[in-house]
Amino acid sequence: CVMWRMCLSLRLLLKSLLLIVGVNSFAQTVYTQTSFFNGHDNTGCKPPFNRRYWHDLIDSSQRNALKAFQGSSNEEVKYYVEQALTKHIDDLQCFIEKDSLTKDQPKIGYLKGLDEAIKKFTTLYKNKQFNASQLPLVLDAYQECMMKDAKRQSIEEIIERSSYEVADLLVKNSAFRNNPGIRASQNAALKKYLNLHPEQILSTLKKYPELPFRDSMIKIAARQFPLRLYDYAAARDSFGDAILNVKDSLVMAIAKMARGSKSGQLYFPFLDNIIAGKITLENIDQVKNDNVKYYKLLVQTRLDYIGRILNGDQIISMATLDTMLFQKAKEPFINTINELHEKPDAVRFAILEQLNAQELYYLAIQGETELYTSSFVKGVFPKMLAKFGNRGDSLLASVGFDRFKKFLKMCAGYNTLSNFLASIPDKDRAQLIMTAFVNNLEKSKGLEDGVDVADSYASINETIKPVADEMLYNVKLNLDRNIKENNKRGIVMYNLLYKLFLSVDSTKNVDLTKEFGIPPVYSINYKTLVDDSAHKVVMQVFFYGDDDGKMSYNGFISDLNRAGWKIAADTKYWLAYSSPKGQPVVIYANKWFNDEKEEGVIEKAQGALRQYLEGKNIQPTIVVHRGHSYWVPSTIEQIRPAAKVVLLGSCGGYNVIHNVLQHAPDAHIIASKQTGKKDINQPFMNILNERLRNGSNIDWIPLWKEFKAKAGNVDGFDDYVPPYKNLGALFIKAYN
């Protein structure tokens, strides 16, 4: 081992000495008879006077390229690139000068082309668009192309076997613009580019429809971007006609849909089954104008595709199917039950009676971001279970466990997971389902599955303790397995989950701040709540222009007046209250207006307050949303990174916690899994305000005990989740 290291060190030292010699001699005159740039024997390379200018340009380009090259962590690569920029280029110059068959003008052309190649390399390398290790290959290929070009032979074969980076640089070089094979070579380079960037295939073929590889590229595009191909095929132009004539079952099916009907997009989700002969366009025509029947066909097709995937088939149109499922679930079903939220349940959920349990399952999955809390809890969820005999395990089996992790996460988010698991008579089977829920997170592409598991544990820990204990056990098993397999992603994810789950049990004394380096979980230092510009604690409250907003706004004003808070500012669109005693605290809020009488007035009011705060460089550290869940996205969009406490006083606010973290990564968030209520939100605000006026740190555990003493008897209090139990949010913070 020692001898090997000594040999390697000696070899690198020799290379370094050679390079030093090369670089030093590079500065010498290029016109000596026996030394052409680098000190090696290039007798006969002295250029005539009329070509010295081009050699000088190359010398300058070499120096600039050497300055631009930042080296490489790989010593071998660094050495060979630097050799290419010095000796290899010098050798090419000499090769051109010693070529007795090439006349004066072609030699100038090749020297000019060599200079172009060096300059192009330098520019692309600086812009991080060229791998420096490819440079020696460029120079080798350049010399080969010169030899072919000098004999008026095509350079196509050289371009064909080169990488795209090398090929592209050569076909755009002026030295070979008159080569007899330049058009074929350009096409070969373009084909290499399209193979690397298939998303550019159709737009490129549209510009150059006569490319010789057109049909083969259309087939590739059909399998990767079928919807884009549909759009191009629908255009009645020469390229659209060319697509129509490609002899390929998939391309032909897409072209037929594109040309056969104005509503061709409605056929697209069924593309794989159309090709397989399982359904015809005529079958789809029979249901496409009936929202209920069309939605049912979408669900049936999704189930069929899941079965095909389990058998090893590749489904091209799955993403399109899901997009259409979302659209058809939203309208008419989800929009209808959401809009009727103030009507009796029998009226509100009547539209769901047409759907079976599997169709309701996909309605829930697709409607994750659209369903109101009550729409899920009172309508979709209970009807779905009832229509499958209140057997949750049988329901999941009937859909092939398709997206069951998403469904369990939703149940956890709406506090119905315990109900779902209770519907499984065999408790071992329930635990088996939760085990599958926990396993193989390291194979997931993003963090979503890990967040779902974290949220679910928080939901069931207090309601189904045996299942929660089993989840903890399985997380530890997965952690040990990933450690054994040295899977770094798996180790990180399962270690985070394990420590998070342990932290829920206060007797374990798990310090998440110490474990993960995230801001304190159980408390907030008062000083971090003080705005740097205003030198006081700043809270912003968002109200909205419906009857619920009016009631919340009036209660807010009444409570502040009763507690002795003083009006610090009162404008047309917003007002501010300041604390009458203790530490300085200011609460800003937009005024309530009837948005139905004056459309956009609430947006104008909030905008006026936002403009004022930004003008004064005031960033609220406490943000409160008071209003229905459909207003929450508007509030979240206005949250600044400085926010440390966020109260989402709406229904189902717990389900958008992760959206809040995208705007305020360090926020402690309080939200309900089900119905948000004024009689719960206002007591929390009163307790928080007193803490702020006293200049106290926010210690969540004692604050939550006081909160429960004042509002704990209100139905729905247990659905509110304190910040230290937002395990999904903590998982994201810790992972980042």
Side-chain angles (χ1 to χ4, degrees):
C1 182
V2 172
M3 290 299 295
W4 179 84
R5 289 178 179 170
M6 290 175 63
C7 289
L8 178 62
S9 300
L10 182 60
R11 185 171 66 164
L12 291 176
L13 177 60
L14 288 172
K15 287 181 177 181
S16 300
L17 290 172
L18 285 171
L19 188 59
I20 291 170
V21 171
V23 172
N24 286 339
S25 60
F26 178 78
Q28 298 174 7
T29 177
V30 302
Y31 310 125
T32 60
Q33 187 68 22
T34 59
S35 180
F36 191 84
F37 303 115
N38 280 329
H40 52 278
D41 184 15
N42 280 316
T43 305
C45 291
K46 182 178 180 180
F49 181 79
N50 67 320
R51 289 200 295 276
R52 289 182 182 178
Y53 168 76
W54 300 104
H55 285 285
D56 288 342
L57 284 181
I58 293 172
D59 293 351
S60 176
S61 296
Q62 280 179 280
R63 285 190 288 269
N64 291 334
L66 276 168
K67 289 178 183 177
F69 179 54
Q70 299 298 312
S72 169
S73 58
N74 187 314
E75 287 294 329
E76 293 284 328
V77 171
K78 179 181 178 182
Y79 172 76
Y80 286 114
V81 172
E82 289 176 335
Q83 283 290 290
L85 287 171
T86 52
K87 184 180 184 303
H88 201 160
I89 292 174
D90 295 348
D91 287 343
L92 272 174
Q93 291 173 262
C94 189
F95 176 84
I96 294 169
E97 289 301 334
K98 293 173 70 175
D99 184 2
S100 60
L101 297 178
T102 304
K103 296 182 180 180
D104 182 70
Q105 276 305 116
K107 285 186 177 183
I108 290 177
Y110 294 141
L111 290 170
K112 180 181 177 183
L114 179 58
D115 183 57
E116 274 183 32
I118 302 168
K119 285 186 169 72
K120 189 70 176 288
F121 160 76
T122 305
T123 300
L124 293 175
Y125 175 76
K126 283 182 177 179
N127 294 332
K128 298 181 179 180
Q129 295 176 321
F130 194 92
N131 187 342
S133 65
Q134 294 282 299
L135 180 62
L137 302 179
V138 170
L139 298 177
D140 285 339
Y142 186 88
Q143 183 168 350
E144 285 189 81
C145 287
M146 280 197 306
M147 295 168 67
K148 290 275 190 183
D149 189 70
K151 299 175 183 178
R152 302 302 298 157
Q153 296 175 351
S154 172
I155 63 172
E156 181 184 5
E157 181 270 331
I158 301 166
I159 300 301
E160 283 282 7
R161 58 180 161 81
S162 298
S163 68
Y164 167 69
E165 285 181 307
V166 174
D168 183 63
L169 200 147
L170 292 174
V171 298
K172 293 178 180 177
N173 194 287
S174 64
F176 311 116
R177 63 186 171 207
N178 295 319
N179 184 269
I182 190 61
R183 177 60 61 87
S185 299
Q186 290 169 341
N187 288 343
L190 181 57
K191 186 176 182 181
K192 292 176 185 291
Y193 172 79
L194 295 179
N195 281 326
L196 291 172
H197 304 281
E199 72 280 1
Q200 299 295 328
I201 287 175
L202 294 173
S203 59
T204 302
L205 294 180
K206 175 81 171 177
K207 293 179 183 176
Y208 311 106
E210 301 304 322
L211 286 169
F213 49 79
R214 181 191 65 196
D215 288 4
S216 63
M217 283 292 167
I218 288 175
K219 293 176 186 178
I220 293 173
R223 282 152 181 81
Q224 297 195 37
F225 306 100
L227 264 178
R228 293 188 194 176
L229 184 67
Y230 174 95
D231 292 335
Y232 280 96
R236 297 185 179 275
D237 55 19
S238 59
F239 184 48
D241 293 341
I243 295 172
L244 204 63
N245 292 323
V246 175
K247 303 305 179 186
D248 177 83
S249 60
L250 176 58
V251 177
M252 291 168 68
I254 294 173
K256 184 178 180 181
M257 287 188 292
R259 291 290 181 94
S261 170
K262 291 183 178 179
S263 56
Q265 296 272 10
L266 294 175
Y267 301 131
F268 220 93
F270 313 101
L271 178 61
D272 291 84
N273 275 354
I274 292 172
I275 297 170
K278 294 186 175 184
I279 194 172
T280 65
L281 299 185
E282 290 72 24
N283 296 144
I284 302 169
D285 286 337
Q286 293 173 9
V287 302
K288 70 181 183 182
N289 296 321
D290 186 313
N291 283 328
V292 177
K293 291 181 179 179
Y294 185 78
Y295 175 75
K296 285 175 174 287
L297 183 59
L298 288 170
V299 172
Q300 179 186 329
T301 304
R302 170 86 193 188
L303 292 173
D304 188 44
Y305 284 173
I306 293 301
R308 290 180 59 180
I309 289 172
L310 292 175
N311 289 327
D313 290 354
Q314 286 190 332
I315 302 299
I316 296 170
S317 57
M318 187 65 94
T320 311
L321 173 69
D322 283 341
T323 300
M324 190 63 73
L325 257 178
F326 171 75
Q327 293 175 9
K328 296 304 178 181
K330 184 177 178 181
E331 182 60 52
F333 302 106
I334 294 174
N335 284 349
T336 298
I337 62 178
N338 281 351
E339 289 168 2
L340 296 175
H341 69 279
E342 295 181 352
K343 298 293 183 181
D345 288 353
V347 175
R348 181 182 183 186
F349 300 120
I351 194 172
L352 300 182
E353 296 299 333
Q354 307 169 80
L355 305 180
N356 64 30
Q358 294 166 326
E359 290 154 1
L360 287 169
Y361 176 85
Y362 283 104
L363 191 74
I365 296 294
Q366 296 298 332
E368 180 189 13
T369 59
E370 301 295 324
L371 282 166
Y372 291 177
T373 300
S374 57
S375 295
F376 181 86
V377 173
K378 295 181 178 180
V380 176
F381 180 78
K383 286 185 179 296
M384 176 192 63
L385 279 185
K387 290 194 175 193
F388 221 88
N390 289 310
R391 285 292 302 270
D393 53 338
S394 299
L395 172 63
L396 292 182
S398 75
V399 296
F401 285 85
D402 181 27
R403 304 192 71 184
F404 83 101
K405 291 188 178 184
K406 173 61 63 184
F407 177 72
L408 293 181
K409 178 258 185 180
M410 291 183 66
C411 289
Y414 289 114
N415 232 15
T416 59
L417 182 57
S418 58
N419 295 344
F420 180 78
L421 295 176
S423 74
I424 304 174
D426 185 345
K427 297 308 173 187
D428 289 339
R429 188 167 176 78
Q431 289 187 351
L432 186 63
I433 289 173
M434 294 307 295
T435 298
F437 181 53
V438 168
N439 286 352
N440 299 316
L441 296 177
E442 73 276 6
K443 296 179 181 179
S444 60
K445 292 182 179 180
L447 294 182
E448 184 178 6
D449 284 353
V451 172
D452 291 348
V453 169
D455 284 337
S456 301
Y457 183 85
S459 175
I460 66 173
N461 184 60
E462 296 177 356
T463 54
I464 322 177
K465 195 67 166 63
V467 178
D469 291 342
E470 187 71 15
M471 281 184 68
L472 178 63
Y473 174 74
N474 284 312
V475 164
K476 184 64 167 63
L477 286 181
N478 276 279
L479 174 59
D480 293 341
R481 175 178 57 80
N482 277 276
I483 291 173
K484 185 177 180 180
E485 296 172 358
N486 196 29
N487 187 310
K488 293 183 179 179
R489 173 177 165 80
I491 293 170
V492 170
M493 294 186 77
Y494 282 109
N495 182 52
L496 291 178
L497 289 173
Y498 185 61
K499 296 292 175 57
L500 285 172
F501 290 2
L502 289 178
S503 74
V504 175
D505 184 350
S506 58
T507 65
K508 301 296 184 183
N509 297 316
V510 176
D511 187 343
L512 295 179
T513 301
K514 183 178 179 181
E515 289 283 350
F516 302 143
I518 59 177
V521 172
Y522 296 97
S523 65
I524 304 177
N525 190 298
Y526 174 81
K527 293 180 180 179
T528 66
L529 297 174
V530 178
D531 176 70
D532 293 336
S533 298
H535 303 296
K536 58 189 70 174
V537 176
V538 176
M539 178 188 299
Q540 184 176 5
V541 186
F542 291 84
F543 292 99
Y544 290 87
D546 51 18
D547 290 340
D548 181 77
K550 182 178 182 180
M551 182 174 62
S552 297
Y553 180 78
N554 289 338
F556 164 79
I557 297 296
S558 177
D559 279 4
L560 287 179
N561 288 335
R562 191 162 46 248
W565 287 68
K566 297 179 180 179
I567 296 179
D570 189 351
T571 73
K572 178 180 178 180
Y573 289 115
W574 57 271
L575 49 74
Y577 278 89
S578 62
S579 54
K581 58 183 179 180
Q583 298 299 319
V585 180
V586 179
I587 302 175
Y588 292 94
N590 63 278
K591 289 185 175 180
W592 181 86
F593 295 91
N594 190 333
D595 216 4
E596 292 184 0
K597 289 185 177 180
E598 185 181 347
E599 187 176 351
V601 65
I602 289 294
E603 184 178 348
K604 188 182 296 183
Q606 292 177 354
L609 176 54
R610 182 172 63 252
Q611 187 175 9
Y612 170 80
L613 295 175
E614 289 177 353
K616 298 290 186 180
N617 196 28
I618 297 172
Q619 299 190 46
T621 55
I622 302 174
V623 175
V624 179
H625 170 83
R626 300 292 297 273
H628 285 301
S629 58
Y630 41 80
W631 301 121
V632 170
S634 176
T635 296
I636 292 177
E637 281 300 314
Q638 300 179 71
I639 294 176
R640 303 289 294 278
K644 297 295 186 294
V645 178
V646 176
L647 170 63
L648 298 177
S650 64
C651 299
Y654 185 80
N655 295 299
V656 293
I657 281 176
H658 312 308
N659 298 349
V660 174
L661 292 177
Q662 292 177 354
H663 292 263
D666 294 332
H668 291 228
I669 305 164
I670 304 94
S672 172
K673 291 188 174 184
Q674 292 196 12
T675 306
K677 296 186 176 180
K678 178 179 73 70
D679 293 339
I680 299 176
N681 294 331
Q682 196 56 56
F684 175 82
M685 292 289 298
N686 295 340
I687 294 170
L688 180 62
N689 288 341
E690 282 305 306
R691 291 282 201 286
L692 298 176
R693 292 205 305 186
N694 293 332
S696 303
N697 297 334
I698 306 299
D699 294 310
W700 287 118
I701 292 178
L703 185 151
W704 210 258
K705 288 181 179 178
E706 183 181 350
F707 181 28
K708 186 172 184 177
K710 293 188 177 181
N713 292 328
V714 178
D715 183 40
F717 176 85
D718 289 337
D719 293 324
Y720 278 71
V721 182
Y724 58 90
K725 288 189 176 182
N726 285 337
L727 299 192
L730 295 176
F731 179 85
I732 293 175
K733 289 182 181 181
Y735 189 93
N736 290 337

